[in-house]
Amino acid sequence: FDAEAQLEGSALSPFLLGMALNHDVRSLPDQNLLGDPTEVALVEHAIHRIGERAFAQLETQYPRAAEIPFDSERKCMTSIHPFGEGYLILTKGAAESLARMMHHPEHRVQIEKYNDLWSAQGMRVVGFAYAVIPAFPAHLTPEAIEKELHFAGIAGMIDPPREEARASIEACKQAGIVPVMITGDHPATAKYIAAQLGILEEGDLVMTGSELQQTDNDTLSEKIERIRVYARVNPEQKLRILQALQAKGHFVAMTGDGVNDAPSLRAANIGVAMGINGTDVTKEVADMILLDDNFATIVRAVKEGRRIYDNVRKFVKYIMTCNGAELWTIMVATFAGLPVPLLPIHILWINLVTDGLPGLALANEKADRDTMQRPPRKSGESIFADGLGLHIIRIGILMALIALGTQWWGLHNDIPHWQTMVFTVLALSQLGHVLAIRSERTLLYKQGLFSNKPMIITIVLTVALQIAILYVPAANAIFHTQPLTWTELALCFGLSAIVFHAVELEKYIRKRRQRTTKS
């Protein structure tokens, strides 16, 4: 509602004057407004009420002579403008802050009434106050100016969550990420919005900045993991919350857009700055910048990060298992007194082609279906954790045993080209291995054979090249290979398939164990 009194010499109420003059919003050449979203909303409302031409004339008629900027302690901003023979003071800020500056006690009651009522409905409430003074103030301090003001009006606005926000919050929870709201809004507003988004559930705590100020570190440490909403918090307290969570061993990502958020973003494990409304300082210290200022983008980034990390693990698993198999094959054959099973040209071919092409295709692997349903890994966890190291040893030894078994069978049956069979079995085994490790948890038939088309193309190409060096005479001379009979080639494919089925069985057994543990 607007104040009924009209300022002398102005056809506008002090409420609309406050909206039109007390802000840091800038107009862009494309007619859009740039600035804090709350201020932009207020300015747009003023323009809608008085028209663009009148709005532009007001800024010229009442230029800003001085300003006391907004700060998180006062939670308000004051601008001073020439007004007739005197000066107009316009103050805008949190309703409870303005209530303390009122000249008339009844105005305080009005402000507090509407502040409590609208905040409980999830509105962000901003109050306006004014005063007309005969001369420019001698001291530009909040204590000297922001007192004995007259009530101009109060504005309530709703910043509705984006449609995808609640789903993103739910995705965070399923992924083991705990969302916490830290805001300068009224506690009732913060509580309402947090409940709407699913951040605040039954049993969770809400803490205000004043309560936090009175809470010692030990008490905060006890409650910190149950607090989901912090309201009316200043930047120093935001940093304290961050440090308290880190002291409990949590890996903390912090978002922010203002200059005062820079220390928190720098101290966070991952600082996230807003690309549209964020200041240059926050963008400079942040680890990640959201180009669309959308929380859902953070969730998508988490999923993409997990996908990339999983694919790195798969690449390490594939390369080290295959290289380990080659090492075991040559080493065991040497100690057992058997002929050398592989020539240097064979090892070079396997490392460059059989390992290289499918290994690169692993980078295109899509995220597993349960990527966002599993808890985050520990920050200090080794890449070889969660069974990867054991897999490298077990499957590497299995590949070597299959290759050595092929060698023994070839020598026992006096097959002259046994070395070509060992070479082929080892190469094809590694292709079966890369098919099976495309997912660490999902069996291939559930994942879908063609979900990674580059992988299928590289495997078909590699098999074709492997067959070519067996049956093309010129390649026989280069790679010291001999053509195999169709029976021998089929035997090589059959033996190499053992590795694929062994890895799939390993995933199946592991999944059964996890289900048993959960139940």
Side-chain angles (χ1 to χ4, degrees), residues 291-303:
L291 298 180
D292 57 1
D293 288 8
N294 191 342
F295 179 79
T297 303
I298 299 178
V299 180
R300 290 195 293 269
V302 170
K303 184 176 181 179

Side-chain angles (χ1 to χ4, degrees), residues 79-115:
S79 60
I80 303 174
H81 310 262
F83 192 81
E85 296 181 358
Y87 287 87
L88 174 64
I89 295 175
L90 294 172
T91 300
K92 174 191 69 188
E96 61 265 36
S97 296
L98 260 66
R100 296 191 293 267
M101 306 174 188
M102 292 297 100
H103 177 68
H104 300 291
E106 61 270 20
H107 287 170
R108 300 179 189 177
V109 176
Q110 277 186 314
I111 292 173
E112 291 171 355
K113 173 187 173 182
Y114 281 93
N115 186 32

Side-chain angles (χ1 to χ4, degrees), residues 377-389:
R377 63 183 178 86
K378 297 178 181 178
S379 57
E381 181 180 278
S382 168
I383 196 172
F384 295 102
D386 200 23
L388 189 145

